[in-house]
Amino acid sequence: MAKSLEMEHPNKALGWGARDKSGVLSPLRFSRRDNGDDDVTVKILYCGVCHSDLHSLKNDWGFTHYPIIPGHEIVGVASKVGKNVTKFKEGDCVGVGVIVNSCQSCETCEQDLENYCPRVVFTYNSHDRDGTMTYGGYSDTIVVDQRFVLRFPEGLPPDAGAPLLCAGITVYSPMKYYGMTTEPGKHLGVAGLGGLGHVAVKIGKAFGLKVTVISRSQAKESEAIDRLGADSFLVTTDPQKMKAAMGTMDFIIDTVSAVHSLFPLLGLLKVNGKLVTLGLPEKPLELPIFPLVLGRKMVGGSDIGGMKETQEMLDFCGKHGITADIELIKMDEINVAMERLSRSDVKYRFVIDVANSLTQPTASI
Ligand code: NAP
Ligand code: ZN
Ligand code: ZN
């Protein structure tokens, strides 16, 4: 018989998880493995709330194992390090993102693309090397192989910096890979101004791009420009403005979390323009062929980034003072936060103050 969550590993842990596809989170006792020779145990301070957490809680993608404890934008303090650990010492401020292991020997791993390894282990809802399920950062501690732990830059606030561990690398990596960073002044459109989108605006500006936000929400216009630093704002519901902007963008990063039409976005691109899709709606999108063929345009995708590039992104954000704009919440406010996230009502990332608000429940759970 399979061991209970509390008994499968030697060390007791506490988190908030969902037991079914209602996605409602509540306290959950579970356990973490002993710190191995290559491991770092992290006392979690803050964890960002990504829309992928919400998709997973609701089983939008059809592969959620319940109970699930989400959370992959983790910043904390190294509380124990194994004897082979050279990169970190106890007391260091560290980050953990979307992946916690991979085979470490295949072609993609050797190219520092562990995120594309066929045997990648995600931070939650994934089978770990020992066959047990992984549980994420809505919890008090996590034990991670040192290769998948990041140095969190000094000078960045750990709460507002936590979303960089997923949102940050997810937009940084395609900017580099798809050639957006080599020629300052190129025009980048960012579709969807949520967690990923608002960080894309900041990183795009730091790379010297001209950035236009493409949004359904007129109410976000002044903030996008005055607070986030975008150069212009385009509301998708205004056909005249959309028409006037056709053929003006070199690149678009599409962060929209729901099913939507790619047709208007492809129309905004110049000849040879590139549309990079990052959002993960639960159903496939239609691919309009005519604008692709007639404008030699390209549609690509991208999934977070490898560990080396994630460290590079954190250091870049440290240097440029880039963090997320956050709403800091207590652990027991998470269900309200998820409901608001489902309505795109967050400016622009919820972050859970884990260390100060995750307390042992008095009743049995
Ligand atoms: P988010 O904060 O909820 O932002 C998504 C934005 O999409 C919303 O703010 C909204 O922007 C827009 N949007 C939502 N519903 C829409 C609809 N029906 N039609 C048009 N626009 C809509 O989510 P996030 O955390 O940034 O994540 C975005 C997506 O990326 C999710 O699907 C997530 O799972 C995925 N993701 C992918 C990766 C990867 O590695 N590829 C990594 C992380 C997340 P406006 O109000 O401005 O229109
Ligand atoms: Zn994420
Ligand atoms: Zn591999």
Side-chain angles (χ1 to χ4, degrees), residues 225-246:
I225 291 171
D226 300 339
R227 203 164 100 193
L228 304 176
D231 297 286
S232 54
F233 190 90
L234 195 55
V235 187
T236 49
T237 49
D238 183 332
Q240 274 166 353
K241 286 200 176 136
M242 287 295 283
K243 200 170 167 200
M246 278 178 74

Side-chain angles (χ1 to χ4, degrees), residues 310-331:
T310 305
Q311 188 64 61
E312 178 190 305
M313 175 279 308
L314 281 176
D315 296 341
F316 177 90
C317 290
K319 189 171 148 209
H320 292 269
I322 295 173
T323 54
D325 286 27
I326 65 164
E327 295 190 42
L328 193 64
I329 59 166
K330 297 191 176 81
M331 192 69 251

Side-chain angles (χ1 to χ4, degrees), residues 16-18 21-26 47-58 60 68-73 124 137-138 257 327 329-346 349-352:
W16 274 53
K21 71 178 171 110
S22 69
V24 175
L25 292 137
S26 56
C47 186
V49 179
C50 177
H51 204 113
S52 297
D53 300 349
L54 182 56
H55 287 305
S56 304
L57 286 169
K58 299 279 187 186
D60 283 350
I68 176 175
I69 298 177
H72 58 207
E73 295 182 336
Y124 62 82
Y138 299 5
S257 53
E327 295 190 42
I329 59 166
K330 297 191 176 81
M331 192 69 251
D332 65 7
E333 293 169 334
I334 187 62
N335 289 308
V336 175
M338 285 295 176
E339 198 274 320
R340 285 185 50 201
L341 180 60
S342 71
R343 291 187 275 114
S344 307
D345 173 23
V346 50
R349 196 56 134 194
F350 290 113
V351 172
I352 308 165

Side-chain angles (χ1 to χ4, degrees), residues 84-89 92 146-151:
N84 298 340
V85 173
T86 49
K87 279 163 63 185
F88 306 100
K89 57 180 190 326
D92 283 355
Q146 63 169 328
R147 177 167 172 161
F148 298 85
V149 179
L150 297 136
R151 273 177 283 107

